[in-house]
């Protein structure tokens, strides 16, 4: 749970300033207890480069960067959660290719505002995510920063030849399916921003986030849907296209449609929403469909399947059919509860707008 009073002040004399270690000791310190799990890891941390052997499988690579003040705010994101999230958002991209995540590299730039203990906390989260998802931490880079904290993670994965899934394989009449529920992470951020304002006015006021616990959890400690990739394999369903939802349902649907040259009808009444999303939208007077369409960071999987696979997924509570694909000329529409067709727009929640 966020604690607005916990900041990483060098005022606290028990903390170790980073300059007392230097870069090499810091790297050693952060990586000394890493244990390699994958046979494909021939060489991990410690040489000029890691060496991997994927034998006859395809290698999948993805990278993402998180920047303080742009992607996270340390006044409510605990460092351990931040480290966890930095890994998870990358793994989500690997799973969206229908691949198994196997390796990560982690690069950080830290200012001397941070203590050794703060960086350790960040790495606790990174290592917890690596353990949870069964990936080897095989390298990275460590640099100082004159301003904030920067974390860049590269994730690697493997997939059998012809099992990889792209964004461009959707066909007209395919069903559009989403895992989990949507809008929670965005609302979690709204709740945290609101409580931060309250806290700035009155620091004695510790927020009660209990009514929003699901939303705040979705924002601060998201999970990647490895389980869905495994589930689809078990059900013997191979999606025709797939993408992870990082920028909001609307823009991800548009990616699938434009890359696959198809159109789509998305049904408003089918969009899966958690009860806490619905009640909090009422409280904030915002429309829950707008939140699901344009809020970001849900890290659910969005994919299309051919109609004949429908019986295999229909009973599964983790998967919801939210629409179907059409011919390209039909366009991309939201079909509202009163059956009006509204063109889908990609608002996303790109940081460029802020
Ligand atoms: P180089 O000078 O060749 O870039 P470094 O001293 O930066 O080497 O890194 C030494 C080893 O430590 C390399 O294996 C590198 O991948 C690893 N490493 C450096 N920084 C990190 C980090 N933040 N997390 C994990 N591994 C790291
Ligand atoms: Mg280096």
């Amino acid at each position: 749970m966020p604690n607005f009073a916990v900041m990483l002040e060098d005022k606290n004399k028990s903390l170790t300033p980073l300059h007392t270690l230097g870069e090499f000791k810091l790297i050693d310190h952060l990586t000394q207890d890493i244990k390699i799990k994958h046979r494909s890891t021939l060489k991990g941390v410690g040489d000029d480069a890691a060496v991997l052997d994927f034998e006859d499988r395809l290698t999948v690579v993805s990278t993402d960067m998180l920047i303080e003040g742009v992607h996270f705010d340390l006044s409510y994101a605990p460092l351990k959660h931040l480290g966890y999230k930095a890994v998870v958002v990358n793994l989500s991209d690997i799973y969206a290719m229908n691949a198994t995540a196997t390796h990560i590299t982690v690069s950080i730039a830290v200012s001397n505002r941070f203590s050794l203990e703060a960086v350790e906390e960040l790495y606790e989260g990174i290592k917890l995510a690596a353990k949870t998802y069964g990936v080897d931490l095989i390298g990275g880079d460590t640099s100082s920063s004159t301003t904030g904290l920067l974390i860049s993670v590269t994730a690697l994965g493997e997939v059998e030849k012809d099992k990889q899934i792209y964004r461009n394989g959707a066909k007209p009449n395919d069903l559009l399916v989403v895992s989990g529920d949507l809008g929670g992470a965005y609302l979690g951020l709204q709740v945290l921003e609101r409580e931060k304002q309250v806290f700035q006015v009155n620091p004695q006021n510790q927020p009660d986030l209990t009514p929003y616990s699901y939303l705040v959890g979705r924002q601060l400690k998201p999970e990647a849907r490895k389980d869905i990739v495994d589930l689809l394999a078990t059900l013997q369903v191979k999606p025709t296209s797939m993408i992870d939802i990082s920028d909001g349902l609307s823009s991800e649907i548009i990616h699938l449609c434009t890359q696959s040259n198809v159109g789509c009808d998305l049904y408003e009444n089918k969009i899966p929403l958690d009860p806490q999303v619905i009640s909090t939208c009422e409280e904030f007077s915002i429309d829950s469909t707008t939140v699901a369409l344009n809020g970001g960071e849900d890290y659910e999987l969005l994919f299309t399947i051919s109609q004949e696979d429908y019986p295999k997924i229909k009973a599964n509570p983790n998967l919801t059919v939210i629409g179907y694909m059409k011919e390209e000329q039909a366009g991309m529409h939201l079909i509202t509860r009163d059956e009006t067709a509204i063109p889908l727009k990609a608002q996303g929640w790109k940081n460029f707008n802020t």
Side-chain angles (χ1 to χ4, degrees):
M1 228 7 73
N3 178 349
F4 295 88
V6 177
M7 273 299 291
L8 320 146
E9 306 286 276
D10 287 327
K11 285 177 224 144
N12 187 334
K13 291 285 185 281
S14 68
L15 298 179
T16 318
L18 281 179
H19 65 80
T20 60
L21 286 98
E23 179 191 337
F24 299 128
K25 275 202 181 132
L26 176 62
I27 295 173
D28 276 353
H29 190 82
L30 295 174
T31 59
Q32 60 194 0
D33 59 346
I34 288 174
K35 289 184 191 64
I36 294 303
K37 297 178 275 276
H38 287 275
R39 215 164 41 121
S40 52
T41 311
L42 301 188
K43 186 80 189 179
V45 168
D47 215 307
D48 296 311
V51 182
L52 308 176
D53 183 358
F54 287 107
E55 294 173 6
D56 57 350
R57 280 146 300 157
L58 302 177
T59 309
V60 179
V61 186
S62 182
T63 195
D64 263 303
M65 196 155 61
L66 295 179
I67 297 169
E68 184 177 356
V70 179
H71 301 102
F72 59 87
D73 181 336
L74 285 176
S75 54
Y76 49 68
L79 280 161
K80 186 173 173 182
H81 285 185
L82 184 63
Y84 191 89
K85 180 169 175 175
V87 174
V88 160
V89 303
N90 276 274
L91 300 185
S92 178
D93 283 318
I94 301 294
Y95 298 129
M97 302 303 290
N98 202 34
T100 305
T102 50
H103 303 88
I104 51 169
T105 64
V106 176
S107 299
I108 53 172
V110 265
S111 68
N112 53 17
R113 168 163 72 89
F114 292 85
S115 61
L116 171 64
E117 288 74 12
V119 182
E120 279 175 339
E121 217 191 304
L122 180 75
Y123 260 73
E124 258 178 58
I126 289 169
K127 287 174 182 172
L128 177 62
K131 185 167 173 233
T132 306
Y133 290 89
V135 299
D136 287 343
L137 175 49
I138 54 163
D141 199 21
T142 306
S143 167
S144 56
S145 151
T146 48
T147 49
L149 173 66
L150 184 150
I151 313 164
S152 172
V153 176
T154 298
L156 291 96
E158 57 179 20
V159 59
E160 259 175 68
K161 284 193 177 117
D162 300 324
K163 292 271 170 78
Q164 78 274 22
I165 300 174
Y166 298 126
R167 296 176 176 183
N168 67 4
K171 299 275 177 292
N173 300 317
D174 281 355
L175 300 174
L176 182 65
V177 186
V178 70
S179 66
D181 52 72
L182 300 173
Y186 173 81
L187 282 179
L189 183 65
Q190 301 314 305
V191 169
L192 289 167
E193 291 279 357
R194 183 179 69 176
E195 297 309 324
K196 183 184 170 186
Q197 312 269 319
V198 174
F199 179 78
Q200 281 168 344
V201 175
N202 180 6
Q204 308 313 323
N205 193 351
Q206 275 294 316
D208 177 16
L209 295 174
T210 318
Y212 313 105
S213 57
Y214 178 70
L215 310 178
V216 169
R218 293 282 283 174
Q219 169 59 222
L220 293 181
K221 193 172 177 287
E223 301 290 350
R225 298 311 302 259
K226 175 182 196 292
D227 60 324
I228 299 296
V229 174
D230 296 341
L231 173 71
L232 291 170
T234 308
L235 297 174
Q236 296 189 304
V237 173
K238 188 188 177 212
T240 51
S241 68
M242 185 148 69
I243 191 169
D244 74 321
I245 304 187
S246 48
D247 293 330
L249 181 61
S250 190
S251 67
E252 314 302 3
I253 291 177
I254 292 171
H255 283 310
L256 290 185
C257 287
T258 48
Q259 294 211 23
S260 301
N261 301 311
V262 295
C264 163
D265 274 355
L266 162 69
Y267 287 85
E268 180 178 27
N269 63 356
K270 302 288 186 198
I271 297 173
L273 301 171
D274 186 85
Q276 229 172 65
V277 167
I278 296 169
S279 59
T280 308
C281 277
E282 279 167 16
E283 186 191 332
F284 280 63
S285 300
I286 35 181
D287 178 45
S288 57
T289 303
T290 307
V291 165
L293 288 178
N294 302 318
E297 300 198 292
D298 285 317
Y299 300 106
E300 296 295 341
L301 288 174
L302 176 73
F303 55 92
T304 53
I305 61 169
S306 73
Q307 298 236 0
E308 64 202 43
D309 282 332
Y310 177 64
K312 299 183 197 163
I313 66 136
K314 73 172 184 196
N316 200 289
N318 292 301
L319 301 176
T320 312
V321 177
I322 54 174
Y324 67 97
M325 311 319 260
K326 302 175 84 170
E327 297 293 339
E328 189 174 20
Q329 313 81 274
M332 301 168 275
H333 293 96
L334 173 74
I335 310 299
T336 63
R337 289 191 180 85
D338 60 10
E339 296 188 3
T340 315
I342 300 174
L344 280 179
K345 282 203 231 59
Q347 283 176 340
W349 76 331
K350 288 276 176 262
N351 300 299
F352 300 111
N353 302 333
T354 56

